[in-house]
Amino acid sequence: IQKLLNLPRLIYTFIANLTLTFLLSTDLQNTTNLSNWNSDLPLLLGTEKTAGRPWNGQVSELSFTSRALSSSEVESVLSQNNLLTGIKDSLVASYQLGGRGSYSDEKGNLPDLTWRGVPTNSQDGKGILLNSNHWLKTSASPALLTQRIRDTSQFTLIADVATADTNQTGPARIVSLSAGPLQRNFTLGQEGTNLDFRLRTPLTGINGSKPSL
């Protein structure tokens, strides 16, 4: 996780690099893989499907690979103005968020992200604003993403986000593949000045909170 501080807002460039393929024992592997991910869950930005745990902030980019990037690849991503330079062949999905309307996956693999609630009129330029009044949800379940991650038991999440309030808790949901407050495949959230990451495995449970990271 790379965290950049630019007061008065916390701005995070988040790369979750998760690989679960080289484990010491078969028993441990069976409890820490991603085989129990649910393919019916929607992708959400800014809250849960039930509109609980809202987050107040800005998101300008969201991308996924179905493998863990190497350390050198992570360094390359962080050194580029365009975060995706050099890893485009590995991407499963990439959303560049700006302006108003719905947002399409540039790879064409996942459903559009569409507004829920009442979006603000100030969705111009790079990045979009999220809060308890307006958030984003895929028009259908991103089943292809879930299936590819289940197959590899590893993925990389890249998100360019900036919080508008360092006191948000819950954790406040920034990005989720979830059905509600108690069931998810993963969630990236904010708990005060910290990032909170929940990942569903047979060991951590369907809420990914035993423990969260």
Side-chain angles (χ1 to χ4, degrees):
I1 300 172
Q2 177 75 16
K3 185 165 60 176
L4 307 177
L5 181 62
N6 186 7
L7 294 175
R9 299 184 308 168
L10 279 177
I11 298 176
Y12 307 98
T13 297
F14 181 83
I15 300 180
N17 217 359
L18 303 169
T19 179
L20 301 170
T21 55
F22 300 104
L23 297 169
L24 297 179
S25 74
T26 301
D27 288 342
L28 181 59
Q29 185 171 0
N30 287 338
T31 59
T32 56
N33 63 37
L34 307 181
S35 62
N36 66 334
W37 274 33
N38 186 336
S39 61
D40 295 327
L41 307 184
L43 179 63
L44 300 122
L45 275 70
T47 192
E48 289 284 3
K49 184 179 179 181
T50 56
R53 311 292 196 277
W55 177 75
N56 185 8
Q58 177 177 301
V59 182
S60 59
E61 181 166 348
L62 178 66
S63 300
F64 297 92
T65 74
S66 58
R67 67 175 180 86
L69 298 184
S70 67
S71 297
S72 61
E73 286 174 317
V74 171
E75 291 177 4
S76 177
V77 167
L78 291 173
S79 68
Q80 301 290 334
N81 290 328
N82 180 350
L83 296 181
L84 305 183
T85 300
I87 64 164
K88 290 183 178 180
D89 291 342
S90 301
L91 290 174
V92 176
S94 178
Y95 295 95
Q96 303 300 310
L97 305 173
R100 286 168 283 187
S102 60
Y103 307 97
S104 298
D105 167 24
E106 294 190 349
K107 298 292 289 185
N109 292 325
L110 302 191
D112 289 354
L113 283 165
T114 60
W115 285 106
R116 297 293 188 269
V118 183
T120 178
N121 291 325
S122 59
Q123 303 289 352
D124 299 318
K126 181 181 180 181
I128 48 95
L129 302 175
L130 304 170
N131 60 37
S132 59
N133 295 318
H134 48 269
W135 61 95
L136 292 172
K137 176 179 174 292
T138 48
S139 53
S141 169
L144 177 65
L145 175 66
T146 300
Q147 185 58 56
R148 290 193 180 181
I149 292 174
R150 286 177 61 177
D151 289 344
T152 62
S153 277
Q154 56 180 280
F155 69 103
T156 301
L157 163 63
I158 300 172
D160 194 347
V161 306
T163 184
D165 181 358
T166 58
N167 295 313
Q168 298 180 80
T169 61
R173 289 359 184 203
I174 303 173
V175 184
S176 281
L177 192 59
S178 62
L182 301 177
Q183 184 180 166
R184 72 200 66 260
N185 289 339
F186 79 83
T187 289
L188 170 64
Q190 179 186 337
E191 188 68 33
T193 57
N194 295 316
L195 289 173
D196 182 283
F197 194 75
R198 296 184 178 183
L199 180 68
R200 177 176 183 161
T201 71
L203 183 63
T204 60
I206 63 173
N207 197 25
S209 59
K210 300 178 181 180
S212 58
L213 306 176

